[in-house]
Amino acid sequence: MRRKKSTKPRPLPPRDGLGASRARLPGDRAVTAFDFIARVITEQRYRHPDDDAHAVMQRFDAGEVVLRDGTPLRPDDLIEPGTDVFFYRHPAPERPVPFDIETVFEDDYILVVNKPHFLATMPRAAHITESATVRLRRATGNEELTPAHRLDRMTAGLLLLTKRAEHRGAYQELFARREVRKRYVAIARDAPVPTPTVWTHHIDKQPGELVATLQEGLPANAETHVLARAPIDAPSLQAVHGVVEPLACYVLEPVTGRTHQLRVQMCAAGVPIVGDPLYPTAVSGGVEDFRVPMRLAAVVLEFTDPLTGRGRCFGLDACGLWG
């Protein structure tokens, strides 16, 4: 039985779209709270250049370094190993993603949006403020707004967010139990991929690795229904991506939700998604070209609403996505 996620308030509430960070002291030696937080911030890979010792002390002066029960810490308080400490991080400056988030539907419980390419769903690694969660919290003033599922940063399309903490678990469990029908469209070269068909694979994605891999001889943990393939006439899209081969639109319904599932399976079928920076070959790091997105989008979300019992179906015009 899946354990229900707790909605217990965190020791520090979200602020300016961001939740507080949690750090746990490792090792076997107590250190002062100031030394611990200063070390944590110094070791952050993505931090603001002005987040120095003075900025750390300002957090203590404001009572914004606290224990799990909300007790504020003084700079010279000793922290024992295994103790959780909460504080607000100062994100590094980020390159703005030059696309808007479009509202598709909103009621008292949920917000459904069309997330653009290049925008992360949740704050992570180098993408903190340039995430759908932070942008929407700041735009709406609702610090409880939280995604019920995730889309890859490079994937566009329908994203459902809950508006109140007390409703969050019901919708997140809906996705976790695979009770949401999801449909995607992908653009790739036109090839004789049979449709309809079902792709099943064992996909493995190790922490810290950029790409996922298919593992032979292991039980399938990823399933996708390939519903249709339709040739498209898109000379402008071909020109943007430097593609000369004829293109087609593939309609995909994933049953499972492994990381990079559709991208890996399309590549394995010999039709990698146009604009994919990882499959079949990882593109070396550099400044991303926002004019050249990966052509994958979530276009349908369909489910029975866990709060109202009504059927819900949200959709995007797939034909209008690749103009």
Side-chain angles (χ1 to χ4, degrees):
M1 181 177 179
R2 187 180 296 272
R3 180 174 296 176
K4 191 173 182 180
K5 293 186 178 180
S6 172
T7 58
K8 183 179 179 180
R10 293 174 67 86
L12 289 172
R15 186 178 69 181
D16 198 24
L18 285 169
S21 295
R22 176 181 63 85
R24 178 172 294 176
L25 179 63
D28 55 7
R29 184 173 64 88
V31 299
T32 67
F34 179 90
D35 287 344
F36 177 46
I37 296 302
R39 187 180 75 189
V40 168
I41 290 171
T42 299
E43 293 175 351
Q44 286 179 339
R45 185 176 180 184
Y46 305 104
R47 67 181 181 93
H48 198 284
D50 295 333
D51 201 359
D52 53 15
H54 177 68
V56 173
M57 187 59 72
Q58 286 181 320
R59 290 177 172 90
F60 284 98
D61 292 342
E64 294 175 350
V65 182
V66 305
L67 296 173
R68 182 172 289 280
D69 63 2
T71 301
L73 290 168
R74 297 186 300 269
D76 57 353
D77 283 339
L78 281 180
I79 303 299
E80 297 294 334
T83 300
D84 289 333
V85 179
F86 296 78
F87 64 98
Y88 293 114
R89 67 178 297 179
H90 296 170
E94 298 176 41
R95 184 183 178 212
V97 176
F99 307 117
D100 294 329
I101 304 174
E102 300 174 359
T103 297
V104 175
F105 174 83
E106 182 175 6
D107 66 8
D108 291 340
Y109 308 116
I110 60 175
L111 173 67
V112 180
V113 300
N114 181 8
K115 182 190 81 68
H117 298 283
F118 298 103
L119 195 67
T121 296
M122 295 283 289
R124 185 181 180 191
H127 310 287
I128 306 299
T129 58
E130 286 304 296
S131 64
T133 301
V134 173
R135 273 202 192 180
L136 288 168
R137 285 178 176 175
R138 290 178 174 180
T140 63
N142 181 1
E143 298 285 7
E144 296 184 29
L145 201 61
T146 302
H149 61 117
R150 296 195 183 201
L151 289 179
D152 279 350
R153 191 174 68 89
M154 301 301 291
T155 303
L158 293 172
L159 179 68
L160 186 151
L161 302 97
T162 59
K163 298 177 70 174
R164 294 288 177 261
E166 61 265 28
H167 302 146
R168 186 178 307 158
Y171 290 95
Q172 289 179 337
E173 286 294 310
L174 201 67
F175 283 89
R177 294 193 303 265
R178 302 176 187 171
E179 294 177 4
V180 179
R181 176 180 169 229
K182 298 177 285 186
R183 182 175 291 182
Y184 292 72
V185 293
I187 302 299
R189 72 181 184 89
D190 190 11
V193 174
T195 58
T197 191
V198 178
W199 290 335
T200 57
H201 299 91
H202 186 97
I203 296 178
D204 181 62
K205 175 80 163 56
Q206 294 296 320
E209 295 291 332
L210 280 178
V211 299
T213 57
L214 299 183
Q215 302 293 320
E216 300 292 339
L218 294 175
N221 63 2
E223 178 180 336
T224 297
H225 294 204
V226 187
L227 302 183
R229 181 190 95 246
I232 60 172
D233 183 21
S236 60
L237 193 148
Q238 289 172 299
V240 166
H241 290 277
V243 175
V244 297
E245 300 172 295
L247 298 176
C249 178
Y250 294 79
V251 182
L252 311 169
E253 277 195 3
V255 176
T256 54
R258 311 299 299 186
T259 301
H260 295 181
Q261 177 172 317
L262 299 181
R263 301 166 65 177
V264 176
Q265 291 183 315
M266 287 285 286
C267 188
V271 284
I273 299 169
V274 170
D276 193 326
L278 294 181
Y279 305 95
T281 304
V283 178
S284 58
V287 178
E288 291 178 316
D289 188 343
F290 291 137
R291 299 169 300 174
V292 189
M294 181 178 71
R295 303 295 173 165
L296 176 66
V299 296
V300 171
L301 287 177
E302 186 175 2
F303 56 91
T304 299
D305 193 292
L307 299 184
T308 67
R310 297 199 304 264
R312 301 277 205 182
C313 186
F314 305 107
L316 297 177
D317 177 12
C319 296
L321 290 171
W322 318 114

